[in-house]
Amino acid sequence: MLDMGKEITVASVELTRRQGDARGQKGQKIYTCTEAGAADPGNPNSWSWMDHGSFAFDPNNNVPQSFGLSTTPRARYIKVYFGTEHKGTGGQAMLADLNVYGAE
């Protein structure tokens, strides 16, 4: 989970794999949450997360991969989830970078 420190209008999330290692995930789900939706700061599982769907990830690609959020939500928190359905050949998720781009 990423706390951006304030709410922004999110246009896209960009993920970069661990360089030179194609054993990581082949996809992910992206969620956002507003500050108001995070009523209990100590329990992120109870927050009102907005599901933006599953996105394919190319584990063989070293360059950043961008995932546009069609609803451009207002959010303070971003969660990227790597479930078993996104499992790559190595059984783990590996990221070098996560960037969030706003529409403001």
Side-chain angles (χ1 to χ4, degrees):
M1 179 187 73
L2 173 67
D3 179 353
M4 296 183 290
K6 67 177 186 174
E7 283 193 14
I8 67 164
T9 300
V10 179
S12 64
V13 175
E14 182 182 81
L15 305 174
T16 307
R17 76 167 194 164
R18 182 184 294 167
Q19 300 297 287
D21 193 338
R23 298 174 299 147
Q25 70 281 356
K26 60 183 180 184
Q28 65 280 326
K29 291 186 83 162
I30 298 175
Y31 298 87
T32 58
C33 184
T34 63
E35 194 165 352
D40 180 359
N43 185 10
N45 290 330
S46 71
W47 295 1
S48 299
W49 291 102
M50 180 184 286
D51 183 349
H52 297 282
S54 288
F55 298 85
F57 187 85
D58 181 357
N60 297 302
N61 192 340
N62 278 331
V63 299
Q65 299 176 52
S66 185
F67 307 97
L69 304 185
S70 61
T71 61
T72 57
R74 294 282 301 168
R76 175 173 174 170
Y77 304 98
I78 304 282
K79 177 170 64 170
V80 180
Y81 172 74
F82 306 101
T84 56
E85 68 274 22
H86 305 116
K87 186 176 176 180
T89 60
Q92 65 272 354
M94 299 181 288
L95 292 178
D97 290 305
L98 183 153
N99 296 302
V100 177
Y101 294 96
E104 298 178 36

